[in-house]
Amino acid sequence: DRLRLVQGLLDNIDEDKRLALVLVDIEGLTAPEVAELTGTPLNTVYTRLRRARLELNAALSRQRGQP
């Protein structure tokens, strides 16, 4: 159930942000590795990662009924 919940929440995150989040937080790559792999500026990877984490945490809070 938890896996389906997280997958559903991830599906609602913009693809670029989701990719950064998955590659760093799940696959274990570093932000510089993601930047090189995707051809994206490093600061953009950090921004996408930060925003994806914020969106995921907000969605989890809403799912739990927290403000």
Side-chain angles (χ1 to χ4, degrees):
D1 287 339
R2 288 181 188 184
L3 182 59
R4 272 185 258 142
L5 170 66
V6 172
Q7 183 62 49
L9 296 175
L10 285 173
D11 288 344
N12 291 318
I13 296 175
D14 173 71
E15 185 176 345
D16 291 332
K17 290 183 275 189
R18 182 176 60 240
L19 179 62
L21 181 75
V22 168
L23 290 176
V24 172
D25 288 348
I26 297 173
E27 297 296 330
L29 276 66
T30 65
E33 290 171 329
V34 173
E36 184 176 336
L37 179 70
T38 61
T40 305
L42 181 57
N43 284 336
T44 301
V45 172
Y46 283 126
T47 298
R48 289 176 180 171
L49 182 58
R50 180 177 46 83
R51 290 182 179 166
R53 287 172 175 162
L54 288 171
E55 288 180 27
L56 183 59
N57 285 332
L60 284 169
S61 291
R62 284 191 303 275
Q63 188 71 24
R64 293 180 186 144
Q66 299 171 348

